[in-house]
Amino acid sequence: MEHVLQSKAHKFRLILASSFALLIFTFVFSINTGASSMSPAEVVQTFLGNGTNQQNLILYEFRLPRIVLSVLVGMGLAVSGCVLQSVSRNALAEPGILGINAGAGLAILFFVTLIPTGVLSAAYFVPLFALSGALLAAVVIYVLAFKRQEGIMPTRLILTGVAIQAGINAAMIVLTLRLTPERYETVALWLAGYIGTTSWDYVLALLPWMIIILPFVYYKVNVLNLLNLGDQLAVGLGVDLEKERRLLLFAAVCLAAASVSVSGSISFVGLIAPHLARQLIGGKHQYYLPVAALLGGLLVLLGDTLGRALLGPTEIPAGIVVAVIGAPYFLYLLARSKV
């Protein structure tokens, strides 16, 4: 038994190190990619303080905040997906598919429509608006999908989420028709998941959510493991089911809302990263969560980098690149599932 645990821990460290190495490689590739290219030597010289004003501007004001934000957003969405899948015991649950991202988007659209430009700092207040919309969407989905005798059923959860998302998207289309051309452009970029207009303010706005909620979720790994065993067994082992479920759902919604509020609507990260992590290391959350977080960060960073590299100097939003990868993957999982 001890040998099995040691082997599992060794495999976890190996996969974690490999994922981190891939993330660093993509980080370096991303720094050197864009309309204004910088060679690796120029990047190193700029990091050492020997860069020109233009190189300092490109590296510190454009590339680095964009890269850091991409990684944080990917980690937040991936961990949110892990929690949603464990709480609902549904491998297809994901904040984008369930309509949580759409709820956040509708609240952001209200912010853009109702709050005059410059009255409130968008970087710091948009996450709060996004959280209110995402929470409202999550509560509606939870209430509609829950039955007293059966709890949360996977099929009902997915169908309710898809229906709520469709309704919210329709409301968003109506609201966008009332926007000025300038604000419509802002909303259109957000809907496409465009990270290119970011700054350090957006990183600082997202960072506190990650610092507080990610450790909290990891603190709950044993509860998540027990929830995977089923409601009755979890209750029998001492889990306060409804309390823990509400706490974890709240954490997942906060992570998703804070992430999409600064990056735009990026779907499928919370689906792909947890599934790949589970394939690599299994379903134990103490191993599975860190690997999924790294893979989520890698996926969004890769999507943003490819979006800049494929048709340069024209950029494809990261949300579209990730969706091109994620939609077929979702159909593949759907075909394999029993839903």
Side-chain angles (χ1 to χ4, degrees):
M1 184 65 181
E2 187 179 346
H3 174 71
V4 173
L5 291 176
Q6 286 179 349
S7 175
K8 187 82 171 178
H10 177 70
K11 184 180 179 183
F12 167 66
R13 288 193 292 271
L14 186 64
I15 291 172
L16 200 66
S18 302
S19 303
F20 188 71
L22 276 175
L23 186 64
I24 294 298
F25 176 79
T26 311
F27 175 89
V28 173
F29 179 61
S30 183
I31 280 183
N32 292 286
T33 303
S36 300
S37 62
M38 293 176 67
S39 68
E42 289 173 333
V43 172
V44 172
Q45 287 299 317
T46 307
F47 273 128
L48 294 175
N50 300 321
T52 64
N53 289 336
Q54 183 183 4
Q55 288 168 343
N56 282 323
L57 182 70
I58 292 172
L59 184 60
Y60 291 114
E61 299 301 323
F62 297 121
R63 298 277 165 82
L64 277 182
R66 186 169 180 168
I67 291 170
V68 173
L69 193 77
S70 297
V71 173
L72 290 176
V73 165
M75 294 174 75
L77 291 174
V79 173
S80 177
C82 291
V83 173
L84 289 173
Q85 289 174 18
S86 297
V87 169
S88 65
R89 299 198 310 281
N90 184 346
L92 300 179
E94 193 263 345
I97 295 168
L98 291 181
I100 294 172
N101 290 0
L106 184 61
I108 291 171
L109 190 53
F110 275 117
F111 179 88
V112 173
T113 306
L114 301 177
I115 307 296
T117 305
V119 172
L120 297 175
S121 171
Y124 295 100
F125 283 94
V126 162
L128 297 177
F129 273 77
L131 176 61
S132 64
L135 274 176
L136 185 60
V139 168
V140 172
I141 294 166
Y142 184 88
V143 169
L144 294 177
F146 183 82
K147 279 194 174 181
R148 184 179 294 274
Q149 300 300 327
E150 301 172 355
I152 298 291
M153 299 297 291
T155 305
R156 196 162 52 234
L157 184 73
I158 289 289
L159 294 179
T160 303
V162 170
I164 294 294
Q165 180 179 209
I168 292 174
N169 286 339
M172 291 174 71
I173 291 173
V174 172
L175 285 175
T176 54
L177 297 176
R178 300 169 58 86
L179 295 174
T180 62
E182 294 78 14
R183 292 194 170 196
Y184 178 80
E185 184 180 356
T186 302
V187 171
L189 287 174
W190 185 89
L191 290 173
Y194 182 64
I195 307 179
T197 55
T198 190
S199 68
W200 287 113
D201 283 344
Y202 288 88
V203 176
L204 293 175
L206 179 60
L207 204 53
W209 299 81
M210 299 294 116
I211 291 174
I212 294 171
I213 301 175
L214 290 181
F216 170 76
V217 172
Y218 195 78
Y219 173 71
K220 292 287 185 181
V221 290
N222 289 329
V223 174
L224 288 165
N225 287 334
L226 292 175
L227 289 178
N228 269 349
L229 300 176
D231 291 356
Q232 290 184 343
L233 197 50
V235 171
L237 292 171
V239 175
D240 186 339
L241 193 63
E242 289 309 315
K243 176 188 170 187
E244 297 293 351
R245 185 178 273 161
R246 281 194 291 268
L247 275 174
L248 289 165
L249 280 175
F250 181 71
V253 170
C254 286
L255 283 175
S259 299
V260 301
S261 68
V262 294
S263 70
S265 182
I266 299 178
S267 297
F268 296 114
V269 179
L271 177 74
I272 299 173
H275 190 265
L276 287 178
R278 209 161 29 234
Q279 292 294 315
L280 288 171
I281 194 65
K284 289 281 186 185
H285 286 79
Q286 51 268 49
Y287 300 133
Y288 157 56
L289 279 176
V291 174
L294 279 179
L295 291 178
L298 174 64
L299 183 61
V300 176
L301 179 58
L302 188 63
D304 184 55
T305 306
L306 289 177
R308 278 185 280 149
L310 290 176
L311 297 177
T314 302
E315 293 190 14
I316 304 173
I320 293 177
V321 178
V322 175
V324 168
I325 301 170
Y329 197 75
F330 174 70
L331 294 174
Y332 161 73
L333 291 179
L334 192 64
R336 290 190 56 188
S337 75
K338 296 177 181 178
V339 176

